[in-house]
């Protein structure tokens, strides 16, 4: 058997990264139903923020290798997929169950208890935050001519900082601002705390991952892509 048949092409990597991006996007919206106080009375964040850095890491790799247009396609695909699955989950909550499965149904309903306001807010914030991340890293790549490790680290970290900040702020304000639009709303101090703490956690984790994952993976795929294009 030809050993080359097991080698991944650049298109294979793009498909895998796109599916992983969409999967993490969905998981973020499920995990966000878990509030986190981190053992304090003033810090507030949610479970989704512990893995949201992954989508920005993937986005940075895609825009570095394939460009901003391909990255925006992946973001849009993930947003649409997440929206459809959240709607399906919400509809399943309404389907009756046998009495002996009431407890399980109640637990499922809690996980998918996010109503239309939360779902729409999540999709809007996710897409805009991802779009801003792509535009910033793409713009900085054009401005900073020397494409060394330091430059890539700065581009990836700064784009993540702004993208995550916008994503978190938009979601928390649109979904939970105390304006009387839904039953579950939050105090402004908790919203601000969630945005700041969540963004800090996401930035810290991804910044640590850039030298060990983002840069090596981008270089590896770029080499494969260059060979395929005969460069």
């Amino acid at each position: 058997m030809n050993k080359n048949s097991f080698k991944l092409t650049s298109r294979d990597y793009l498909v895998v990264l796109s599916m992983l991006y969409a999967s993490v996007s969905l998981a973020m919206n499920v995990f966000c139903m878990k509030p986190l106080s981190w053992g304090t009375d003033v810090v507030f964040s949610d479970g989704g923020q512990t893995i949201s850095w992954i989508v920005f890491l993937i986005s940075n790799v895609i825009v570095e290798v394939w460009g901003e247009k391909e990255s925006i396609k992946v973001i849009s695909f993930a947003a649409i997929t997440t929206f459809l699955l959240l709607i399906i989950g919400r509809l399943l909550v309404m389907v009756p169950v046998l009495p002996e499965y009431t407890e399980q149904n109640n637990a499922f309903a809690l996980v998918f208890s996010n109503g239309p306001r939360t779902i729409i807010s999540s999709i809007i914030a996710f897409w805009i935050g991802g779009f801003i991340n792509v535009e910033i890293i793409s713009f900085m790549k054009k401005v900073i001519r020397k494409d060394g490790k330091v430059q890539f680290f700065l581009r990836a970290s700064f784009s993540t900082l702004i993208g995550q900040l916008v994503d978190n702020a938009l979601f928390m304000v649109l979904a939970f601002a105390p304006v009387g639009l839904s039953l579950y709303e939050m105090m402004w101090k908790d919203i601000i705390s969630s945005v700041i703490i969540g963004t800090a956690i996401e930035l810290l984790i991804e910044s640590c991952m850039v030298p060990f994952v983002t840069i090596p993976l981008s270089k590896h795929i770029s080499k494969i892509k260059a060979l395929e294009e005969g460069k």
Side-chain angles (χ1 to χ4, degrees):
M1 185 176 292
N2 189 357
K3 293 182 179 180
N4 291 329
S5 61
F6 291 101
K7 291 184 177 180
L8 295 176
T9 65
S10 61
R11 180 57 55 176
D12 293 332
Y13 275 105
L14 180 58
V15 172
V16 171
L17 290 173
S18 300
M19 298 305 296
L20 181 59
Y21 188 100
S23 299
V24 175
S25 302
L26 176 62
M28 284 166 49
N29 284 276
V30 176
F31 293 171
C32 75
M33 300 307 296
K34 167 66 176 180
L36 305 172
S37 67
W38 302 100
T40 73
D41 296 328
V42 294
V43 175
F44 183 90
S45 62
D46 64 71
Q49 292 173 331
T50 61
I51 62 170
S52 57
W53 58 272
I54 298 176
V55 298
F56 283 85
L57 186 154
I58 295 173
S59 180
N60 290 340
V61 172
I62 293 176
V63 73
E64 185 70 15
V65 178
W66 290 278
E68 58 183 304
K69 289 184 179 179
E70 200 68 46
S71 188
I72 292 173
K73 288 180 184 178
V74 173
I75 294 171
S76 301
F77 168 74
I80 293 172
T81 303
T82 302
F83 176 76
L84 291 176
L85 289 175
L86 289 177
I87 292 297
I88 293 172
R90 184 63 182 171
L91 292 175
L92 287 174
V93 172
M94 305 176 187
V95 178
V97 298
L98 294 172
E100 56 265 35
Y101 297 111
T102 300
E103 185 176 348
Q104 291 94 321
N105 186 61
N106 291 338
F108 182 87
L110 282 175
V111 174
F112 287 94
S113 60
N114 45 345
R117 179 183 176 184
T118 308
I119 293 174
I120 294 173
S121 299
S122 174
I123 300 304
I124 292 175
F126 172 79
W127 194 90
I128 293 179
F131 178 81
I132 289 176
N133 174 70
V134 168
E135 289 300 314
I136 289 176
I137 196 170
S138 180
F139 174 76
M140 292 181 71
K141 183 178 181 180
K142 296 174 183 177
V143 173
I144 303 176
R145 299 298 181 183
K146 294 181 180 180
D147 193 23
K149 289 185 178 181
V150 175
Q151 289 82 357
F152 190 9
F153 177 84
L154 293 176
R155 286 189 283 117
S157 298
F158 183 71
S159 63
T160 294
L161 170 62
I162 304 302
Q164 292 280 22
L165 185 61
V166 171
D167 185 341
N168 292 334
L170 270 178
F171 173 67
M172 295 303 297
V173 171
L174 291 176
F176 304 116
V179 292
L181 290 178
S182 56
L183 293 175
Y184 178 65
E185 296 182 338
M186 297 169 56
M187 293 183 291
W188 281 110
K189 69 177 185 67
D190 290 335
I191 291 177
I192 294 172
S193 174
S194 178
V195 172
I196 295 175
I197 298 300
T199 302
I201 292 173
E202 293 156 347
L203 177 62
L204 176 63
I205 296 176
E206 197 198 337
S207 295
C208 293
M209 291 294 175
V210 169
F212 305 105
V213 179
T214 312
I215 293 176
L217 183 59
S218 298
K219 285 187 174 182
H220 176 68
I221 301 174
S222 294
K223 288 181 181 179
I224 295 175
K225 189 169 180 288
L227 288 174
E228 292 172 347
E229 295 173 350
K231 294 182 180 180

